[in-house]
Amino acid sequence: MHETKIPFGERDGILFRAHEVENGLRCGCVCPGCKQPLNAANNGEKVVPHFRHSKSNDCFDGFREGVRRAAVALIAKHKQLMLPALIETVRVATQDGRLLEEKVELQPVMITADNVERFVDRGSLRGHAVLHQSTRQLIVRIKLSTRMEHERYRQLEALEHSSMEIDLHHLALEQINDPAKFEHAVLHDSVNRLWIRSIRGERLAANALQKLQSVADEINAQSQLEQAAREAAEQARQIELANEKAELQRALEAHRAKQLQMAAKQSASAQDNTTQGRAELIAGTMLRAIQAWGGRAVECTACYLLSPPDSRFCLYCDATTGKVNHVSLSPDIPSTIHKRMRCSAKPTMSMKTVPRLLLRPDLKASAGVPITPVLPEDALQ
């Protein structure tokens, strides 16, 4: 609504504020936008001095055109301008997903131009002010609306010069009428302006990007070396596992052949393949481990019979699911074997997993005396 109140009137090509000229039509001013006569309203005590059209029309350019021309005139007069701040973050991703970042920052700084051109056309684009400093140029746009000008920004970004925007659309009529406040808003306020394109900022960002890329390249190279080492180690491990598997298979085949040879001389009996018989065999191998192997042995996870501690496979069954685990037996086994077997599920589980043994354990001690325990019938109850 304040755009209907025009802050500047034009007379003989010069802009005046309403309080600087006579009241009413005697001001002799025309609208900076439509060039129609203006009335100066500068005698009111409650209304900020301003101009208005002497005849009603649809002109809304007077406010914006006057403020824009007054702002450009200040820039041309003083040849000075506060440049906006710039904060940008440059990022580079490494091959392993890490994100490297570096902040590029320019502080607001006041510059002095060698000369200033007003309202310079660059094809379909107009620079409201163009500041020249040595071989460099800075294109300045004065914004007086809330509308985003994406296409104009795109055109400015395509030019080879830096460009910025000063946003004055928020200024109240009181601020525009105050020469000091208006000058501060145009020349010195670092908050109301932004870069459209900053050549220096782009150079800083490019340098930061190059440094980050060098760091990323080093990280990527190290990652590739580490990955190659991991792959080589994994390949070696797979070869080692394959060799171990092949060796284990050869050892198992040799063991099975030896089992068959021994079974021809000492095969398991029918009694051994009963729950009671299996319990006596389990107990017998436990006693033999105490007496002959120093309480150390390996236990088959399928038939639960104990083999000598250096055995890789069960000597008595050929269950494919069975393995052997090292065990250490308590010295009180001989005196507690009956109680242990009474509460043990191993005989039943042994029969369930291995209904038939290949050969019978040798339960003779070093003196040749049998050590097979005689378990009572209720030992398995």
Side-chain angles (χ1 to χ4, degrees):
M1 293 297 294
H2 71 274
E3 291 192 4
T4 60
K5 297 179 180 180
I6 303 172
F8 294 97
E10 181 181 354
R11 186 173 68 192
D12 299 328
I14 301 174
L15 295 177
F16 295 92
R17 291 178 172 85
H19 63 79
E20 296 173 337
V21 295
E22 294 185 64
N23 193 41
L25 286 173
R26 293 193 304 274
C27 67
C29 295
V30 297
C31 173
C34 66
K35 306 302 181 183
Q36 296 301 310
L38 296 176
N39 275 318
N42 56 22
N43 284 339
E45 296 181 359
K46 297 183 179 180
V47 179
V48 178
H50 65 278
F51 294 95
R52 60 176 178 268
H53 290 93
S54 61
K55 294 182 180 181
S56 178
N57 62 25
D58 296 329
C59 174
F60 287 97
D61 291 334
F63 178 90
R64 285 175 288 203
E65 188 65 21
V67 173
R68 182 175 288 120
R69 285 176 55 186
V72 172
L74 276 175
I75 297 173
K77 175 183 177 182
H78 294 278
K79 297 182 182 180
Q80 288 187 329
L81 193 63
M82 178 69 72
L83 299 185
L86 174 69
I87 299 178
E88 181 179 344
T89 301
V90 179
R91 298 179 176 88
V92 173
T94 62
Q95 293 176 352
D96 59 2
R98 280 183 285 177
L99 194 62
L100 307 180
E101 296 185 352
E102 183 170 334
K103 183 178 291 186
V104 175
E105 187 170 358
L106 290 176
Q107 296 295 329
V109 62
M110 180 70 74
I111 63 165
T112 300
D114 297 331
N115 65 291
V116 178
E117 291 184 272
R118 307 186 192 190
F119 299 102
V120 179
D121 290 328
R122 300 290 176 91
S124 61
L125 186 69
R126 167 168 282 197
H128 297 143
V130 178
L131 281 69
H132 295 264
Q133 190 182 63
S134 184
T135 59
R136 299 185 297 274
Q137 295 183 26
L138 173 63
I139 302 172
V140 180
R141 292 278 304 180
I142 308 297
K143 181 179 180 180
L144 288 162
S145 71
T146 58
R147 180 168 55 93
M148 297 300 294
E149 300 178 318
H150 297 293
E151 177 58 26
R152 186 165 285 119
Y153 294 161
R154 187 190 64 78
Q155 294 176 1
L156 284 167
E157 289 170 352
L159 298 178
E160 61 182 4
H161 304 295
S162 296
S163 53
M164 60 175 282
E165 177 182 84
I166 302 174
D167 187 357
L168 301 179
H169 86 274
H170 63 285
L171 290 181
L173 191 59
E174 293 86 349
Q175 293 172 291
I176 298 173
N177 268 342
D178 187 322
K181 291 181 179 179
F182 185 65
E183 180 176 316
H184 174 78
V186 174
L187 301 181
H188 305 285
D189 189 351
S190 63
V191 177
N192 66 353
R193 58 203 65 207
L194 57 82
W195 288 105
I196 299 173
R197 182 181 184 188
S198 171
I199 301 298
R200 184 186 175 200
E202 291 175 3
R203 286 199 300 267
L204 291 176
N207 292 337
L209 182 63
Q210 185 177 10
K211 292 178 182 178
L212 286 182
Q213 190 61 57
S214 297
V215 175
D217 290 342
E218 293 178 3
I219 294 174
N220 292 338
Q222 183 63 31
S223 296
Q224 290 173 359
L225 290 175
E226 293 173 355
Q227 179 63 24
R230 286 193 296 269
E231 291 176 354
E234 177 61 20
Q235 185 178 11
R237 190 180 75 87
Q238 292 298 330
I239 293 173
E240 183 179 358
L241 290 176
N243 291 336
E244 290 177 356
K245 184 177 180 181
E247 190 278 330
L248 182 65
Q249 183 61 32
R250 290 192 296 268
L252 181 59
E253 291 174 357
H255 171 72
R256 292 283 183 251
K258 184 177 180 179
Q259 271 186 312
L260 293 176
Q261 292 177 359
M262 295 175 65
K265 301 176 181 179
Q266 189 181 349
S267 60
S269 64
Q271 173 61 26
D272 296 332
N273 294 322
T274 65
T275 303
Q276 177 67 23
R278 195 64 59 86
E280 292 181 354
L281 292 181
I282 293 173
T285 58
M286 293 173 70
L287 292 175
R288 188 176 186 199
I290 292 294
Q291 298 177 13
W293 307 327
R296 295 185 301 110
V298 293
E299 182 182 54
C300 177
T301 59
C303 69
Y304 294 99
L305 296 178
L306 302 186
S307 300
D310 57 350
S311 302
R312 295 181 65 183
F313 309 102
C314 178
L315 299 179
Y316 317 112
C317 76
D318 60 353
T320 57
T321 59
K323 298 179 181 179
V324 292
N325 294 326
H326 288 273
V327 294
S328 296
L329 302 180
S330 173
D332 67 349
I333 288 293
S335 61
T336 61
I337 190 64
H338 292 85
K339 293 181 180 179
R340 290 176 183 269
M341 296 312 298
R342 181 177 290 113
C343 62
S344 175
K346 289 183 178 180
T348 302
M349 295 171 63
S350 176
M351 284 298 302
K352 183 177 180 180
T353 308
V354 185
R356 179 178 176 275
L357 295 175
L358 284 181
L359 56 92
R360 192 174 198 278
D362 180 8
L363 299 180
K364 294 180 181 180
S366 57
V369 180
I371 58 174
T372 304
V374 178
L375 299 177
E377 291 294 333
D378 65 345
L380 304 177
Q381 300 301 317

